[in-house]
Amino acid sequence: MKREFPLFIVDHNRAHKFGEVDFIYCSDIDNGFIAKVEYMDGIVEEVGEDYRIEPGLSGSNLSAKISIKRITGKNPDKTKIRGLLKQAMKYYTSLSTFSADIGNITVRQMVLFIDTLILDGRKNAIAAGSDYNYRNTVLTSIAFLEAIKKELIGV
């Protein structure tokens, strides 16, 4: 049967109270799960029963750790879950990282970068809470970024 919805859904919102982490949901009926993705300093590679750590993201000195927080599948199989966890990490890193040749950067890459800045700005606006000046500065920055993006894509 063909899947009618994505296997993985990533929450980059960070409007939660769990810190600077993202969550990824695996919608597999039998082996689904909710996992937390966080970044770690250093280059570490490790695989456990319910987590995995991938080293050196985008050539940096960072590693990403994905760990299962809740199993949502009806018939969990540890081996299949480990495989899905590996796929989830690959999917997450493909969404979260991209390489660009600075001397030959495309408009699409510029727009993706601006979208990342806008997303981070929205998170900062939420985190600003009742600090009016900080929130206003962040919202102004977001408005500038959106205007630059419109100019780049010709809208």
Side-chain angles (χ1 to χ4, degrees), residues 75-148:
N75 267 331
D77 178 311
K78 290 180 183 182
T79 305
K80 290 181 181 177
I81 289 175
R82 278 195 301 270
L84 285 168
L85 198 59
K86 183 177 182 178
Q87 282 182 300
M89 178 60 92
K90 186 176 181 179
Y91 179 73
Y92 177 81
T93 55
S94 73
L95 289 178
S96 302
T97 60
F98 69 91
S99 60
D101 176 10
I102 298 301
N104 192 22
I105 194 164
T106 66
V107 172
R108 182 179 183 281
Q109 290 170 328
M110 287 186 250
V111 169
L112 285 172
F113 182 71
I114 289 173
D115 283 340
T116 302
L117 292 176
I118 290 170
L119 181 64
D120 287 341
R122 289 189 179 130
K123 293 172 197 169
N124 288 335
I126 292 167
S130 62
D131 185 342
Y132 175 78
N133 290 330
Y134 180 63
R135 184 176 169 76
N136 194 32
T137 301
V138 171
L139 292 175
T140 302
S141 299
I142 291 171
F144 270 105
L145 289 169
E146 288 174 342
I148 293 168

Side-chain angles (χ1 to χ4, degrees), residues 9-20:
I9 301 169
V10 178
D11 176 12
H12 288 291
N13 187 10
R14 295 188 184 176
H16 49 70
K17 304 216 184 301
F18 299 106
E20 289 293 313

Side-chain angles (χ1 to χ4, degrees), residues 20-39:
E20 289 293 313
V21 298
D22 293 324
F23 289 93
I24 188 164
Y25 169 67
C26 175
S27 63
D28 187 84
I29 292 172
D30 291 324
N31 301 293
F33 56 82
I34 298 172
K36 178 172 82 169
V37 182
E38 57 193 320
Y39 293 102

